[in-house]
Amino acid sequence: MSRRKRALITGITGQDGSYLAEFLLDQGYEVVGMVRRTSTVNFDRIQHIQDKLTLVAGDLMDEVSLMAILKEHRPQEVYNLAAQSFVKTSWTQPVFTGEVTALGVTRVLDAIRMVDPEIRFYQASSSEMFGKVQQVPQTERTPYYPRSPYGVAKVYGHWITVNYRESYDLFACSGILFNHESPRRGLEFVTHKVTYHVAKIKLGLADRLPLGNLEAQRDWGYAPDYVRAMWLMLQEDHPDDYVVATGETHSVRRLCEVAFGSVGLNWEDYVYVNPDDLRPAEVDLLVGDASKARRELGWAPTVTFEQMIQMMVEADLEALRSQRQPMRL
Ligand code: NAP
Ligand code: GDD
């Protein structure tokens, strides 16, 4: 039997899954990644480490597949990162979002309870749960007021994690992560939408950028910093919940200023408000207080907002110049 620790990541093909897989491999883990069966392979974000991973087919909609994976691969840690994660889509696919993002968590927890209750579990909870914020800044004790079907589903996922911890004594942690970005961020999210358009405009490949609410404020951090926090939670003596955030907030307008400014352009010459990019209900302001994670996990962010946006613009310029798809590597 191998003595290396083994971790299972659901959502390994996503932004966070790819960074977490790299991080765990660096820590000496064997990494098992659950992937959905798709008609076209979408391993772009993990292509560079694919030969070091064990990829297995499964789906959060299908508990049988989850149990089979746990039985066969016997991980000591499970990171549940899979979700329908785009807030806007959750209004057009609310039931599907609930099935995957909410009930999917119960399916994983139940599979753990039945196959191996010693497994340590991480749930990808979200600052979107704070929604119409009841306190500024938001902490682990701030009440939730979700403003989207996605936010509602994440509140369910959070509480079922707490409930299984309390009901069955599982080592189940919930990381309440604020927005985190990177060059691997999906193109539909606002940071990458902006940096990709900045790169296209700079190279003469586009001339306008449609956006929704320019006044929304987010606490944007750097994804590789955030996956480290996930791992730290599972190394503690006791399971708990932690806010992970930078403590700084910026508006979408400021994001545009920084991104366009980084290549010497004035954002107001290109950006216009497109009503289709507005949401039925908005989360106006998120800013997290991560003192508990700093104190108990020794966690701190290492990359500033401005550095991260600059990095994303440069990666998009590079990708466009070499005619690669921008969002992946
Ligand atoms: P992402 O890039 O959208 O990745 C989502 C992953 O979930 C993908 O690998 C996707 O697989 C997988 N997935 C979707 N539905 C599935 C299903 N039914 N069964 C199995 N896998 C499924 O998201 P991310 O930004 O990495 O975020 C990771 C997690 O953290 C998500 O749960 C998200 O809600 C949460 N979160 C993210 C942030 C953030 O700012 N990034 C903040 C707080 C919480 P495919 O590749 O096949 O689509
Ligand atoms: N996507 C997008 N596109 N957002 C826009 C646009 C646009 O054209 N224009 C303005 N925005 C605003 C949105 O209305 C929102 O207030 C803000 O920009 C951020 O939107 P997203 O980047 O789509 O992220 P999000 O905050 O809704 O959700 C992300 O963060 C959550 C954590 O708080 C996702 O990663 C979620 O999965 C995550 O849980």
Side-chain angles (χ1 to χ4, degrees), residues 13-16 36 42 59-60 81 83 85 150 154 177 180:
T13 53
Q15 171 189 259
D16 290 7
R36 294 196 279 183
N42 63 346
D59 199 300
L60 282 199
L81 309 188
S85 75
Y150 168 85
K154 282 289 181 187
L177 270 50
H180 44 279

Side-chain angles (χ1 to χ4, degrees), residues 85-87 126-128 150 179 185 188-190 193 211-213 216 218 252 277 279 282 286:
S85 75
F86 188 42
V87 172
S126 165
S127 51
E128 184 71 13
Y150 168 85
N179 300 50
R185 186 60 143 149
E188 66 274 37
F189 299 94
V190 74
K193 181 174 174 183
L211 287 176
N213 179 10
R218 289 290 181 279
V252 173
D277 288 316
R279 297 176 177 188
E282 181 59 283
L286 291 177

Side-chain angles (χ1 to χ4, degrees), residues 248-270:
E248 261 184 43
T249 192
H250 302 274
S251 63
V252 173
R253 183 183 295 272
R254 172 72 186 145
L255 160 67
C256 291
E257 254 171 39
V258 172
F260 279 90
S262 74
V263 294
L265 298 175
N266 176 9
W267 71 278
E268 284 165 308
D269 296 337
Y270 305 96

